[in-house]
Amino acid sequence: MKYLVLIWVFCAGQPLAAQQAKHIVQLTDKHNSPYFLNRPAVYLSPKSIERRNRQGIAIDSTDLPVNPAYVSSILESGTVTLLNTSRWLNQVLIETNDAEALSRIGTLPFVKTITRAAPAKAGRKARFDVSMRAARKQKRTQDSENHFDYGANAGQVSIHEGEWLHNKGYSGEGMTIALLDAGFYQYDTNPAFDSIRLNNQVLDTWDFVKNKRSVTEEHMHGMVCFSTIAANIPGKIVGTATRAQYYLFRTEDVDTEHQVEEQNWVAAAEKADSLGVDIITSSLGYYDFDDASRSYDYTDMDGKTAIITRGAEAAFKKGIIVCNSAGNSGDVAWRYIVAPADGKNVLAVGSVNFMRQVAGSSSYGPSADGRVKPDVASLGWNAVVAGYDGNPMYTSGTSLACPNLAGLIACLWQSFPDMTNAEILDAVKRSADQYTRPDDRVGYGIPNLRIAWELLAAKTATNKAESVLGGDWIKAYPVPFSSSLRLLIKAPRTGNASLVLLNSAGRELFKKKIQVTEGVLLSEQLLFASGLAQGVYWLQYRDGKTTRVIKLLK
């Protein structure tokens, strides 16, 4: 098994060859930090703190930034440039051609390891070859009934019954999504994104590869993925979460393949966290590098080895939903999912076509430790995206399946904002069409967002009922009542039970038989005759062993 740390450990007096390269410096601790757990507003936004509070997530040491004194000591060791840091993994990314500086850094007492993350030069050809062809508008019988005229991409919305959410008024408003990708070429002039520009829905951008704000100059892959969520040209192409807000982060350099890109991804995920992002969608994946000695084996796809996977898992622990493409290796020698899709809490998305057939290129699971992977699938084979001119085009890959579904998950979470990320993901998986028989191609299958919504609605009702019970096992409300009341029962035993309404003199006025199950919450509506006089009444519950009498007032 290849591990990404403990590869190069520099100690005093160890000879080093001078070379311009990027290095990950892993630190031992955060001792004597100027940051404090009880003052999170210094390093986290109010929205980020609110997300933690809402989900009951405590601020812990992984939230504290890297110790700035440690960073200063590293930079003072010689000609060294700081590129980014990771507070979750407690490491920094530097660039230097100063061998003596690296030696000095290796002797610092708080430095655990130094790993070369990228050499001075690299010569890999761009990985993303996005071929597209013109798409046609799909004529669908339900178009006239839907809130949106989706145009050519109606099918990739309806494969999840996503239009049902949109018709209920959920289009991502109030949700924040970060896209981590290889560039968002000319998204700022593409007509497909006119509405999000007009409404200032892109909150910020950053290029972690070149450390600059603009992300529009390099690759189109991110723009294409973005269009599945945010494009909005009615009658042509309408994405799955057109009213969400977005951060666009470039972390991938398509001309190379080195571990520095994993570090960039983690740094971007941490920035997304600190800004209060709800969902990260990423159509990137790693297993082979230009330096083959750093490449992963399938055994490394275990949810805890790859840098990027550990970062994705940390993001989930902060209350973020992380969606990632499963990978497009199903028809090549590697075959399997790629990091960070192997993460235990990362929603790995495979690819299917409009006929719900799995794409041959969609990566296989399971994870190396035997977990279901991919988790689910979405439309990625002949998916509709926006071309350079905004017109709909066809292209394929799990890269498109992932953001398509991520946008709908944002709409789902919008409708249940008090749910945790784990609860939302659980409902998405349970709604999928082969939840009870998962496989290694599409996992639990294709989610149905209407079913997921209904599952969450039922859970919300149950939670509300549990709150009303307040630790008891039976309660009637409202009291006083008028012509009806509702009875909540969490029965102490399974079997037949009866409900009897008695007046103050003990006369039986109403009787109903019910079936109860031990420990399962039952909500029972009781309707009474309109002539029932005002006064005191008694409701009696009997199951043959347990009897309970509740006082009522009309």
Short mmCIF file of all heavy atoms in Angstrom, two decimals, residues 114-178:
data_model
loop_
_atom_site.label_atom_id
_atom_site.label_comp_id
_atom_site.label_asym_id
_atom_site.label_seq_id
_atom_site.Cartn_x
_atom_site.Cartn_y
_atom_site.Cartn_z
N ILE A 114 8.10 16.09 5.13
CA ILE A 114 8.07 16.91 3.93
C ILE A 114 7.92 15.96 2.76
O ILE A 114 8.72 15.03 2.60
CB ILE A 114 9.35 17.75 3.76
CG1 ILE A 114 9.58 18.63 4.99
CG2 ILE A 114 9.25 18.60 2.49
CD1 ILE A 114 10.87 19.42 4.94
N THR A 115 6.91 16.19 1.94
CA THR A 115 6.64 15.34 0.78
C THR A 115 6.63 16.19 -0.47
O THR A 115 5.95 17.22 -0.53
CB THR A 115 5.27 14.65 0.92
OG1 THR A 115 5.23 13.93 2.14
CG2 THR A 115 5.01 13.71 -0.24
N ARG A 116 7.40 15.77 -1.47
CA ARG A 116 7.37 16.52 -2.73
C ARG A 116 6.03 16.29 -3.41
O ARG A 116 5.66 15.14 -3.70
CB ARG A 116 8.51 16.09 -3.65
CG ARG A 116 8.65 17.04 -4.86
CD ARG A 116 9.84 16.70 -5.72
NE ARG A 116 9.63 15.45 -6.45
CZ ARG A 116 10.47 15.02 -7.38
NH1 ARG A 116 11.57 15.70 -7.66
NH2 ARG A 116 10.23 13.88 -7.99
N ALA A 117 5.31 17.36 -3.69
CA ALA A 117 3.96 17.26 -4.25
C ALA A 117 3.94 17.50 -5.75
O ALA A 117 2.98 17.13 -6.43
CB ALA A 117 3.03 18.25 -3.57
N ALA A 118 4.98 18.15 -6.29
CA ALA A 118 5.08 18.37 -7.73
C ALA A 118 6.50 18.80 -8.05
O ALA A 118 7.08 19.61 -7.32
CB ALA A 118 4.09 19.44 -8.21
N PRO A 119 7.09 18.28 -9.15
CA PRO A 119 8.43 18.70 -9.54
C PRO A 119 8.41 20.05 -10.22
O PRO A 119 7.35 20.68 -10.36
CB PRO A 119 8.84 17.59 -10.51
CG PRO A 119 7.55 17.17 -11.14
CD PRO A 119 6.52 17.27 -10.03
N ALA A 120 9.58 20.48 -10.65
CA ALA A 120 9.70 21.80 -11.28
C ALA A 120 8.92 21.87 -12.58
O ALA A 120 8.24 22.85 -12.87
CB ALA A 120 11.17 22.12 -11.54
N LYS A 121 9.00 20.82 -13.38
CA LYS A 121 8.32 20.81 -14.67
C LYS A 121 7.60 19.48 -14.83
O LYS A 121 7.99 18.47 -14.29
CB LYS A 121 9.31 21.01 -15.81
CG LYS A 121 9.98 22.38 -15.80
CD LYS A 121 10.92 22.51 -16.99
CE LYS A 121 11.59 23.88 -16.99
NZ LYS A 121 12.51 24.03 -18.13
N ALA A 122 6.57 19.51 -15.62
CA ALA A 122 5.83 18.29 -15.90
C ALA A 122 5.36 18.31 -17.33
O ALA A 122 5.19 19.37 -17.92
CB ALA A 122 4.64 18.16 -14.95
N GLY A 123 5.12 17.14 -17.91
CA GLY A 123 4.79 17.10 -19.32
C GLY A 123 3.59 16.27 -19.69
O GLY A 123 3.55 15.72 -20.77
N ARG A 124 2.64 16.14 -18.78
CA ARG A 124 1.46 15.34 -19.12
C ARG A 124 0.50 16.16 -19.97
O ARG A 124 0.25 17.33 -19.73
CB ARG A 124 0.75 14.88 -17.85
CG ARG A 124 -0.59 14.23 -18.15
CD ARG A 124 -1.23 13.59 -16.94
NE ARG A 124 -0.49 12.41 -16.54
CZ ARG A 124 -1.04 11.45 -15.82
NH1 ARG A 124 -2.29 11.54 -15.45
NH2 ARG A 124 -0.33 10.40 -15.47
N LYS A 125 -0.07 15.49 -20.94
CA LYS A 125 -1.08 16.12 -21.78
C LYS A 125 -2.37 16.28 -20.97
O LYS A 125 -2.66 15.50 -20.08
CB LYS A 125 -1.34 15.24 -23.01
CG LYS A 125 -2.30 15.85 -24.02
CD LYS A 125 -2.47 14.91 -25.21
CE LYS A 125 -3.44 15.50 -26.22
NZ LYS A 125 -3.63 14.60 -27.37
N ALA A 126 -3.15 17.29 -21.30
CA ALA A 126 -4.40 17.54 -20.59
C ALA A 126 -5.27 16.28 -20.52
O ALA A 126 -5.43 15.57 -21.51
CB ALA A 126 -5.17 18.67 -21.27
N ARG A 127 -5.83 16.00 -19.35
CA ARG A 127 -6.64 14.80 -19.15
C ARG A 127 -8.05 14.96 -19.70
O ARG A 127 -8.68 14.01 -20.08
CB ARG A 127 -6.74 14.47 -17.66
CG ARG A 127 -5.44 14.03 -17.04
CD ARG A 127 -5.67 13.49 -15.64
NE ARG A 127 -6.45 14.41 -14.84
CZ ARG A 127 -7.50 14.05 -14.11
NH1 ARG A 127 -7.90 12.81 -14.11
NH2 ARG A 127 -8.15 14.93 -13.40
N PHE A 128 -8.57 16.16 -19.69
CA PHE A 128 -9.97 16.37 -20.04
C PHE A 128 -10.11 16.61 -21.53
O PHE A 128 -9.68 17.64 -22.05
CB PHE A 128 -10.55 17.56 -19.27
CG PHE A 128 -10.62 17.34 -17.79
CD1 PHE A 128 -9.93 18.18 -16.93
CD2 PHE A 128 -11.36 16.30 -17.27
CE1 PHE A 128 -10.00 17.98 -15.56
CE2 PHE A 128 -11.43 16.10 -15.90
CZ PHE A 128 -10.74 16.94 -15.05
N ASP A 129 -10.68 15.67 -22.21
CA ASP A 129 -10.96 15.81 -23.63
C ASP A 129 -12.48 15.83 -23.77
O ASP A 129 -13.11 14.79 -23.95
CB ASP A 129 -10.34 14.66 -24.43
CG ASP A 129 -10.64 14.77 -25.93
OD1 ASP A 129 -11.02 15.86 -26.37
OD2 ASP A 129 -10.49 13.76 -26.63
N VAL A 130 -13.06 17.01 -23.65
CA VAL A 130 -14.52 17.12 -23.63
C VAL A 130 -15.03 17.32 -25.06
O VAL A 130 -14.89 18.40 -25.63
CB VAL A 130 -14.96 18.30 -22.74
CG1 VAL A 130 -16.48 18.36 -22.69
CG2 VAL A 130 -14.38 18.16 -21.35
N SER A 131 -15.55 16.27 -25.63
CA SER A 131 -16.12 16.36 -26.98
C SER A 131 -17.62 16.54 -26.86
O SER A 131 -18.29 15.84 -26.10
CB SER A 131 -15.79 15.11 -27.78
OG SER A 131 -16.28 13.96 -27.14
N MET A 132 -18.16 17.49 -27.62
CA MET A 132 -19.58 17.81 -27.51
C MET A 132 -20.22 17.88 -28.89
O MET A 132 -19.56 18.17 -29.88
CB MET A 132 -19.78 19.14 -26.77
CG MET A 132 -19.22 19.14 -25.36
SD MET A 132 -19.73 20.57 -24.39
CE MET A 132 -18.89 21.88 -25.26
N ARG A 133 -21.51 17.61 -28.90
CA ARG A 133 -22.27 17.77 -30.13
C ARG A 133 -23.61 18.40 -29.78
O ARG A 133 -24.05 18.35 -28.64
CB ARG A 133 -22.48 16.43 -30.83
CG ARG A 133 -23.35 15.44 -30.11
CD ARG A 133 -23.41 14.11 -30.86
NE ARG A 133 -24.43 13.24 -30.33
CZ ARG A 133 -24.31 12.50 -29.25
NH1 ARG A 133 -23.18 12.54 -28.57
NH2 ARG A 133 -25.29 11.72 -28.83
N ALA A 134 -24.24 19.01 -30.77
CA ALA A 134 -25.46 19.77 -30.52
C ALA A 134 -26.57 18.89 -29.97
O ALA A 134 -26.74 17.74 -30.37
CB ALA A 134 -25.92 20.44 -31.82
N ALA A 135 -27.32 19.45 -29.02
CA ALA A 135 -28.45 18.73 -28.43
C ALA A 135 -29.75 19.32 -28.95
O ALA A 135 -29.83 20.48 -29.35
CB ALA A 135 -28.40 18.85 -26.90
N ARG A 136 -30.79 18.50 -28.94
CA ARG A 136 -32.10 18.95 -29.38
C ARG A 136 -33.05 19.05 -28.19
O ARG A 136 -32.93 18.28 -27.24
CB ARG A 136 -32.68 17.97 -30.41
CG ARG A 136 -31.90 17.92 -31.71
CD ARG A 136 -32.45 16.84 -32.62
NE ARG A 136 -32.25 15.52 -32.05
CZ ARG A 136 -32.72 14.41 -32.61
NH1 ARG A 136 -33.40 14.46 -33.73
NH2 ARG A 136 -32.51 13.23 -32.04
N LYS A 137 -33.99 19.94 -28.29
CA LYS A 137 -34.98 20.07 -27.23
C LYS A 137 -35.82 18.80 -27.16
O LYS A 137 -36.22 18.25 -28.18
CB LYS A 137 -35.89 21.27 -27.47
CG LYS A 137 -36.96 21.44 -26.38
CD LYS A 137 -37.81 22.67 -26.61
CE LYS A 137 -38.89 22.77 -25.54
NZ LYS A 137 -39.73 23.97 -25.71
N GLN A 138 -36.04 18.33 -25.94
CA GLN A 138 -36.88 17.15 -25.75
C GLN A 138 -38.33 17.58 -25.55
O GLN A 138 -38.64 18.38 -24.67
CB GLN A 138 -36.41 16.37 -24.51
CG GLN A 138 -35.01 15.82 -24.66
CD GLN A 138 -34.60 15.10 -23.40
OE1 GLN A 138 -35.44 14.64 -22.63
NE2 GLN A 138 -33.31 15.00 -23.18
N LYS A 139 -39.18 17.06 -26.39
CA LYS A 139 -40.60 17.33 -26.25
C LYS A 139 -41.18 16.37 -25.22
O LYS A 139 -41.16 15.15 -25.41
CB LYS A 139 -41.32 17.14 -27.59
CG LYS A 139 -40.89 18.14 -28.65
CD LYS A 139 -41.31 19.55 -28.28
CE LYS A 139 -40.96 20.53 -29.40
NZ LYS A 139 -41.32 21.92 -29.04
N ARG A 140 -41.69 16.89 -24.14
CA ARG A 140 -42.20 16.04 -23.07
C ARG A 140 -43.62 16.47 -22.74
O ARG A 140 -43.94 17.66 -22.72
CB ARG A 140 -41.30 16.13 -21.83
CG ARG A 140 -39.85 15.77 -22.13
CD ARG A 140 -39.03 15.76 -20.86
NE ARG A 140 -39.49 14.74 -19.93
CZ ARG A 140 -39.09 13.47 -20.00
NH1 ARG A 140 -38.25 13.08 -20.92
NH2 ARG A 140 -39.53 12.59 -19.12
N THR A 141 -44.45 15.51 -22.45
CA THR A 141 -45.86 15.81 -22.22
C THR A 141 -46.08 16.69 -21.00
O THR A 141 -47.05 17.43 -20.94
CB THR A 141 -46.66 14.51 -22.04
OG1 THR A 141 -46.08 13.75 -20.96
CG2 THR A 141 -46.62 13.67 -23.30
N GLN A 142 -45.15 16.62 -20.03
CA GLN A 142 -45.38 17.37 -18.81
C GLN A 142 -44.78 18.78 -18.85
O GLN A 142 -44.87 19.51 -17.89
CB GLN A 142 -44.82 16.62 -17.60
CG GLN A 142 -43.30 16.61 -17.50
CD GLN A 142 -42.69 15.40 -18.14
OE1 GLN A 142 -43.21 14.88 -19.12
NE2 GLN A 142 -41.58 14.93 -17.60
N ASP A 143 -44.15 19.14 -19.98
CA ASP A 143 -43.48 20.45 -20.03
C ASP A 143 -44.43 21.58 -19.65
O ASP A 143 -44.07 22.50 -18.92
CB ASP A 143 -42.92 20.70 -21.43
CG ASP A 143 -41.53 20.07 -21.61
OD1 ASP A 143 -40.98 19.55 -20.62
OD2 ASP A 143 -41.01 20.12 -22.73
N SER A 144 -45.65 21.56 -20.19
CA SER A 144 -46.57 22.66 -19.96
C SER A 144 -47.03 22.74 -18.51
O SER A 144 -47.52 23.77 -18.07
CB SER A 144 -47.79 22.52 -20.88
OG SER A 144 -48.46 21.29 -20.60
N GLU A 145 -46.86 21.64 -17.77
CA GLU A 145 -47.29 21.61 -16.38
C GLU A 145 -46.18 22.02 -15.43
O GLU A 145 -46.43 22.26 -14.25
CB GLU A 145 -47.78 20.20 -16.03
CG GLU A 145 -48.92 19.71 -16.91
CD GLU A 145 -49.21 18.25 -16.69
OE1 GLU A 145 -48.60 17.67 -15.76
OE2 GLU A 145 -50.04 17.69 -17.42
N ASN A 146 -44.95 22.05 -15.91
CA ASN A 146 -43.82 22.33 -15.04
C ASN A 146 -43.56 23.81 -14.89
O ASN A 146 -43.85 24.61 -15.79
CB ASN A 146 -42.56 21.66 -15.59
CG ASN A 146 -42.58 20.16 -15.41
OD1 ASN A 146 -43.28 19.64 -14.54
ND2 ASN A 146 -41.85 19.45 -16.25
N HIS A 147 -42.99 24.16 -13.77
CA HIS A 147 -42.62 25.55 -13.51
C HIS A 147 -41.57 26.02 -14.50
O HIS A 147 -41.58 27.17 -14.92
CB HIS A 147 -42.11 25.67 -12.08
CG HIS A 147 -41.74 27.07 -11.68
ND1 HIS A 147 -42.68 28.05 -11.47
CD2 HIS A 147 -40.53 27.66 -11.49
CE1 HIS A 147 -42.07 29.18 -11.13
NE2 HIS A 147 -40.77 28.97 -11.14
N PHE A 148 -40.63 25.13 -14.87
CA PHE A 148 -39.57 25.47 -15.80
C PHE A 148 -39.77 24.75 -17.14
O PHE A 148 -40.22 23.60 -17.17
CB PHE A 148 -38.19 25.08 -15.25
CG PHE A 148 -37.78 25.83 -14.02
CD1 PHE A 148 -37.46 25.15 -12.85
CD2 PHE A 148 -37.70 27.21 -14.01
CE1 PHE A 148 -37.08 25.82 -11.71
CE2 PHE A 148 -37.32 27.91 -12.87
CZ PHE A 148 -37.01 27.21 -11.72
N ASP A 149 -39.41 25.42 -18.22
CA ASP A 149 -39.32 24.79 -19.53
C ASP A 149 -37.86 24.41 -19.71
O ASP A 149 -37.03 25.22 -20.10
CB ASP A 149 -39.78 25.76 -20.62
CG ASP A 149 -39.74 25.12 -22.01
OD1 ASP A 149 -39.32 23.94 -22.11
OD2 ASP A 149 -40.09 25.80 -22.98
N TYR A 150 -37.53 23.14 -19.41
CA TYR A 150 -36.15 22.70 -19.33
C TYR A 150 -35.46 22.61 -20.68
O TYR A 150 -34.23 22.60 -20.75
CB TYR A 150 -36.06 21.34 -18.64
CG TYR A 150 -36.57 21.35 -17.22
CD1 TYR A 150 -37.85 20.90 -16.92
CD2 TYR A 150 -35.78 21.83 -16.18
CE1 TYR A 150 -38.33 20.91 -15.62
CE2 TYR A 150 -36.25 21.84 -14.88
CZ TYR A 150 -37.53 21.38 -14.61
OH TYR A 150 -37.99 21.40 -13.32
N GLY A 151 -36.23 22.54 -21.74
CA GLY A 151 -35.62 22.40 -23.05
C GLY A 151 -34.96 21.05 -23.21
O GLY A 151 -35.52 20.01 -22.86
N ALA A 152 -33.71 21.06 -23.71
CA ALA A 152 -33.02 19.82 -24.07
C ALA A 152 -32.71 18.94 -22.86
O ALA A 152 -32.54 17.73 -23.01
CB ALA A 152 -31.74 20.15 -24.83
N ASN A 153 -32.57 19.53 -21.68
CA ASN A 153 -32.16 18.71 -20.53
C ASN A 153 -33.31 18.30 -19.62
O ASN A 153 -33.11 17.97 -18.46
CB ASN A 153 -31.07 19.43 -19.71
CG ASN A 153 -31.57 20.69 -19.05
OD1 ASN A 153 -32.36 21.43 -19.65
ND2 ASN A 153 -31.12 20.96 -17.85
N ALA A 154 -34.52 18.28 -20.17
CA ALA A 154 -35.67 17.84 -19.38
C ALA A 154 -35.47 16.43 -18.82
O ALA A 154 -35.81 16.14 -17.67
CB ALA A 154 -36.94 17.89 -20.23
N GLY A 155 -34.88 15.56 -19.62
CA GLY A 155 -34.73 14.17 -19.21
C GLY A 155 -33.80 13.97 -18.03
O GLY A 155 -34.04 13.11 -17.19
N GLN A 156 -32.74 14.78 -17.96
CA GLN A 156 -31.80 14.57 -16.86
C GLN A 156 -32.30 15.19 -15.56
O GLN A 156 -31.77 14.88 -14.49
CB GLN A 156 -30.40 15.06 -17.22
CG GLN A 156 -30.23 16.53 -17.48
CD GLN A 156 -28.95 16.80 -18.25
OE1 GLN A 156 -28.67 16.16 -19.26
NE2 GLN A 156 -28.15 17.74 -17.78
N VAL A 157 -33.33 16.00 -15.64
CA VAL A 157 -34.02 16.46 -14.44
C VAL A 157 -35.06 15.44 -14.02
O VAL A 157 -35.16 15.04 -12.86
CB VAL A 157 -34.67 17.84 -14.66
CG1 VAL A 157 -35.46 18.27 -13.43
CG2 VAL A 157 -33.62 18.89 -15.00
N SER A 158 -35.83 14.97 -15.01
CA SER A 158 -36.95 14.07 -14.69
C SER A 158 -36.49 12.67 -14.31
O SER A 158 -37.26 11.93 -13.69
CB SER A 158 -37.92 14.00 -15.87
OG SER A 158 -37.31 13.39 -16.99
N ILE A 159 -35.27 12.28 -14.64
CA ILE A 159 -34.80 10.95 -14.24
C ILE A 159 -34.78 10.81 -12.72
O ILE A 159 -34.87 9.72 -12.19
CB ILE A 159 -33.40 10.65 -14.85
CG1 ILE A 159 -33.13 9.14 -14.81
CG2 ILE A 159 -32.31 11.44 -14.13
CD1 ILE A 159 -31.88 8.73 -15.57
N HIS A 160 -34.72 11.96 -12.03
CA HIS A 160 -34.78 11.99 -10.57
C HIS A 160 -36.11 12.57 -10.07
O HIS A 160 -36.26 12.82 -8.88
CB HIS A 160 -33.65 12.83 -9.99
CG HIS A 160 -32.29 12.32 -10.34
ND1 HIS A 160 -31.80 11.12 -9.89
CD2 HIS A 160 -31.30 12.85 -11.11
CE1 HIS A 160 -30.57 10.94 -10.34
NE2 HIS A 160 -30.25 11.96 -11.09
N GLU A 161 -37.06 12.79 -10.97
CA GLU A 161 -38.29 13.50 -10.66
C GLU A 161 -37.98 14.85 -9.99
O GLU A 161 -38.69 15.31 -9.09
CB GLU A 161 -39.22 12.65 -9.79
CG GLU A 161 -40.68 12.93 -10.08
CD GLU A 161 -41.66 11.95 -9.45
OE1 GLU A 161 -41.30 10.79 -9.21
OE2 GLU A 161 -42.81 12.37 -9.22
N GLY A 162 -36.90 15.46 -10.48
CA GLY A 162 -36.47 16.75 -9.92
C GLY A 162 -37.45 17.87 -10.19
O GLY A 162 -37.53 18.83 -9.41
N GLU A 163 -38.23 17.74 -11.29
CA GLU A 163 -39.21 18.79 -11.59
C GLU A 163 -40.26 18.88 -10.49
O GLU A 163 -40.87 19.93 -10.29
CB GLU A 163 -39.85 18.54 -12.96
CG GLU A 163 -40.81 17.37 -13.04
CD GLU A 163 -40.12 16.04 -13.26
OE1 GLU A 163 -38.88 15.98 -13.16
OE2 GLU A 163 -40.82 15.04 -13.54
N TRP A 164 -40.49 17.78 -9.76
CA TRP A 164 -41.45 17.78 -8.66
C TRP A 164 -41.00 18.77 -7.58
O TRP A 164 -41.81 19.53 -7.04
CB TRP A 164 -41.58 16.37 -8.10
CG TRP A 164 -42.68 16.19 -7.10
CD1 TRP A 164 -43.99 15.90 -7.35
CD2 TRP A 164 -42.57 16.30 -5.68
NE1 TRP A 164 -44.71 15.82 -6.17
CE2 TRP A 164 -43.86 16.06 -5.13
CE3 TRP A 164 -41.53 16.59 -4.82
CZ2 TRP A 164 -44.11 16.09 -3.76
CZ3 TRP A 164 -41.77 16.61 -3.45
CH2 TRP A 164 -43.04 16.36 -2.93
N LEU A 165 -39.71 18.77 -7.27
CA LEU A 165 -39.17 19.73 -6.30
C LEU A 165 -39.29 21.15 -6.83
O LEU A 165 -39.69 22.07 -6.10
CB LEU A 165 -37.70 19.42 -5.99
CG LEU A 165 -37.39 18.28 -5.03
CD1 LEU A 165 -35.88 18.11 -4.92
CD2 LEU A 165 -37.98 18.56 -3.65
N HIS A 166 -38.91 21.34 -8.09
CA HIS A 166 -38.98 22.67 -8.68
C HIS A 166 -40.42 23.20 -8.68
O HIS A 166 -40.67 24.38 -8.40
CB HIS A 166 -38.44 22.64 -10.11
CG HIS A 166 -36.98 22.35 -10.19
ND1 HIS A 166 -36.36 21.93 -11.35
CD2 HIS A 166 -36.00 22.41 -9.24
CE1 HIS A 166 -35.07 21.75 -11.12
NE2 HIS A 166 -34.83 22.04 -9.86
N ASN A 167 -41.37 22.33 -8.98
CA ASN A 167 -42.77 22.74 -9.00
C ASN A 167 -43.29 23.12 -7.62
O ASN A 167 -44.25 23.88 -7.50
CB ASN A 167 -43.64 21.64 -9.60
CG ASN A 167 -43.38 21.42 -11.08
OD1 ASN A 167 -42.84 22.30 -11.76
ND2 ASN A 167 -43.73 20.25 -11.59
N LYS A 168 -42.65 22.60 -6.58
CA LYS A 168 -43.02 22.98 -5.22
C LYS A 168 -42.33 24.27 -4.78
O LYS A 168 -42.53 24.73 -3.66
CB LYS A 168 -42.67 21.85 -4.24
CG LYS A 168 -43.57 20.63 -4.36
CD LYS A 168 -43.22 19.56 -3.34
CE LYS A 168 -43.60 19.96 -1.93
NZ LYS A 168 -45.06 20.03 -1.73
N GLY A 169 -41.50 24.84 -5.66
CA GLY A 169 -40.87 26.12 -5.36
C GLY A 169 -39.45 26.01 -4.84
O GLY A 169 -38.88 27.00 -4.38
N TYR A 170 -38.85 24.81 -4.94
CA TYR A 170 -37.48 24.62 -4.45
C TYR A 170 -36.51 24.57 -5.62
O TYR A 170 -36.46 23.58 -6.36
CB TYR A 170 -37.39 23.33 -3.62
CG TYR A 170 -38.35 23.30 -2.46
CD1 TYR A 170 -39.33 22.31 -2.38
CD2 TYR A 170 -38.29 24.26 -1.45
CE1 TYR A 170 -40.22 22.27 -1.32
CE2 TYR A 170 -39.18 24.23 -0.40
CZ TYR A 170 -40.14 23.24 -0.33
OH TYR A 170 -41.03 23.21 0.72
N SER A 171 -35.73 25.63 -5.76
CA SER A 171 -34.76 25.73 -6.85
C SER A 171 -33.37 26.08 -6.34
O SER A 171 -32.53 26.57 -7.09
CB SER A 171 -35.21 26.78 -7.88
OG SER A 171 -36.47 26.44 -8.41
N GLY A 172 -33.15 25.85 -5.05
CA GLY A 172 -31.82 26.09 -4.48
C GLY A 172 -31.66 27.41 -3.78
O GLY A 172 -30.57 27.72 -3.28
N GLU A 173 -32.71 28.21 -3.71
CA GLU A 173 -32.61 29.52 -3.07
C GLU A 173 -32.20 29.37 -1.61
O GLU A 173 -32.75 28.55 -0.87
CB GLU A 173 -33.94 30.26 -3.17
CG GLU A 173 -33.85 31.72 -2.76
CD GLU A 173 -35.12 32.49 -3.09
OE1 GLU A 173 -36.09 31.86 -3.55
OE2 GLU A 173 -35.14 33.72 -2.89
N GLY A 174 -31.21 30.15 -1.19
CA GLY A 174 -30.71 30.09 0.18
C GLY A 174 -29.60 29.08 0.38
O GLY A 174 -28.99 29.04 1.44
N MET A 175 -29.35 28.22 -0.62
CA MET A 175 -28.30 27.22 -0.54
C MET A 175 -27.03 27.73 -1.24
O MET A 175 -27.11 28.50 -2.20
CB MET A 175 -28.75 25.91 -1.18
CG MET A 175 -30.00 25.32 -0.59
SD MET A 175 -29.83 24.94 1.18
CE MET A 175 -28.59 23.65 1.13
N THR A 176 -25.88 27.28 -0.75
CA THR A 176 -24.60 27.70 -1.32
C THR A 176 -23.82 26.47 -1.75
O THR A 176 -23.63 25.53 -0.96
CB THR A 176 -23.77 28.50 -0.32
OG1 THR A 176 -24.57 29.55 0.23
CG2 THR A 176 -22.56 29.13 -0.99
N ILE A 177 -23.38 26.47 -3.00
CA ILE A 177 -22.67 25.34 -3.59
C ILE A 177 -21.29 25.78 -4.04
O ILE A 177 -21.15 26.82 -4.70
CB ILE A 177 -23.44 24.78 -4.79
CG1 ILE A 177 -24.87 24.37 -4.39
CG2 ILE A 177 -22.70 23.61 -5.43
CD1 ILE A 177 -25.76 23.99 -5.57
N ALA A 178 -20.27 25.01 -3.70
CA ALA A 178 -18.92 25.26 -4.20
C ALA A 178 -18.60 24.21 -5.25
O ALA A 178 -18.79 23.01 -5.02
CB ALA A 178 -17.90 25.21 -3.08
#
